[in-house]
Amino acid sequence: MPSTDPPAELSRCQDMLQAGLDLLDQGISVFDAQLRLVAWNRPFLDLLEFPAHLARVGTPFADFIRYNIDRGEYDPGDAEALLGERLAAAGAFAAHVSERRRPNGRLLLLRGEPLPHGGFVTLYSDVTEQRYLEHLSEHQNLQLDEKVRRRTAQLENANANLRRANAEKEQIAAALGRSEARLRLINDTIPILIGYVDHNEIYQYANKGYSDWYGLPEGQVTGRSVIEVTGPEVYAQVGDYVRRALAGQQVSY
């Protein structure tokens, strides 16, 4: 049904998104074209040991760099030069993949991708153990099993169905529409399956990964039942978990 309170609906959607992002093992940050923070998750703060007061919408990218400079995160050098160098690199919005050794010894893999209308999204993965095993293999001339190579690009976005408000709330409705498009873009660029099922076991939302995985046209998962999408054989294995989740239990399998 149409939303009667767009601000409350937007707040609810943001809370759902934040809760979903905080469950991920990877850190994520999104900055807009003015290099201001748009979205993040708890692993982003934990992996880079940023204080909670920086985690707010609109925090300039420069504040994170200054915090790192002040605590000696980078190689010695002129503080303003270090700041200018990193701001220039961020402002270029170029795709990049790099590894960074933190002062605490942890090795992070950073993958940055520009967004269509400016800004960029960055994924942060702790690859300390993975790199250690690879180094051990090289020195001992051993071949590691595939299981030690962990796929590390996970992102979840609990994206609610945003509705346009009535005519007098058009400006708020437009903001909701832009927010939905941004979240869907992020969802569809991450190689995981994200779906939302109602109490009738009907998909109310599914990202592009769902369509690709099950060989359905994009957008054709929504409106179908779980058993119709997954097939009877898979449903026989997961149906009980689905019903338990719909009953309010937290399940993992």
Side-chain angles (χ1 to χ4, degrees):
M1 63 180 64
S3 172
T4 58
D5 189 354
E9 176 72 5
L10 179 58
S11 178
R12 185 178 71 87
C13 292
Q14 290 173 336
D15 289 344
M16 291 176 63
L17 169 63
Q18 193 63 56
L21 292 178
D22 286 345
L23 290 174
L24 299 177
D25 294 330
Q26 280 186 306
I28 181 173
S29 65
V30 181
F31 287 86
D32 63 16
Q34 284 72 48
L35 295 182
R36 297 172 303 193
L37 186 64
V38 174
W40 66 93
N41 67 351
R42 172 56 57 183
F44 163 66
L45 300 177
D46 292 343
L47 287 173
L48 286 91
E49 298 181 296
F50 283 131
H53 73 265
L54 289 177
R56 66 182 187 278
V57 174
T59 299
F61 180 74
D63 286 4
F64 291 94
I65 301 302
R66 286 194 182 95
Y67 184 86
N68 278 341
I69 292 174
D70 291 342
R71 64 176 173 175
E73 186 82 9
Y74 308 125
D75 293 332
D78 179 74
E80 291 304 314
L82 290 172
L83 176 63
E85 177 183 339
R86 281 161 175 78
L87 288 179
F93 302 132
H96 65 277
V97 176
S98 63
E99 291 187 358
R100 172 175 156 194
R101 179 71 67 177
R102 300 246 16 260
N104 62 9
R106 307 304 294 179
L107 183 63
L108 302 184
L109 175 67
L110 281 63
R111 175 188 172 192
E113 294 288 345
L115 297 173
H117 301 292
F120 57 92
V121 55
T122 305
L123 300 177
Y124 308 83
S125 305
D126 188 334
V127 295
T128 309
E129 181 180 355
Q130 179 181 339
R131 292 295 180 264
Y132 170 77
L133 291 174
E134 292 172 353
H135 180 74
L136 184 64
S137 176
E138 292 172 0
H139 283 75
Q140 295 181 343
N141 197 25
L142 297 174
Q143 293 186 350
L144 295 178
D145 198 350
E146 282 294 324
K147 65 182 179 181
V148 302
R149 300 179 183 180
R150 290 180 290 178
R151 194 172 180 88
T152 58
Q154 292 184 346
L155 175 70
E156 171 149 15
N157 178 2
N159 183 19
N161 295 320
L162 300 179
R163 303 286 184 151
R164 286 189 175 274
N166 50 35
E168 60 267 23
K169 295 177 180 179
E170 181 178 351
Q171 183 177 1
I172 297 177
L176 287 171
R178 290 193 298 271
S179 177
E180 180 181 20
R182 182 185 296 115
L183 299 182
R184 180 175 292 277
L185 173 63
I186 296 174
N187 265 355
D188 287 344
T189 59
I190 304 302
I192 60 175
L193 279 64
I194 302 175
Y196 168 69
V197 179
D198 66 16
H199 281 277
N200 295 316
E201 298 189 14
I202 302 298
Y203 284 97
Q204 298 299 320
Y205 170 79
N207 70 341
K208 186 175 181 294
Y210 243 103
S211 301
D212 294 343
W213 183 269
Y214 287 105
L216 295 171
E218 185 173 353
Q220 294 301 304
V221 174
T222 302
R224 297 174 183 250
S225 66
V226 175
I227 190 171
E228 184 181 0
V229 173
T230 65
E233 183 176 350
V234 173
Y235 183 79
Q237 301 176 52
V238 304
D240 181 59
Y241 294 107
V242 172
R243 289 186 288 273
R244 286 164 55 190
L246 290 175
Q249 298 183 41
Q250 180 175 336
V251 296
S252 179
Y253 58 92

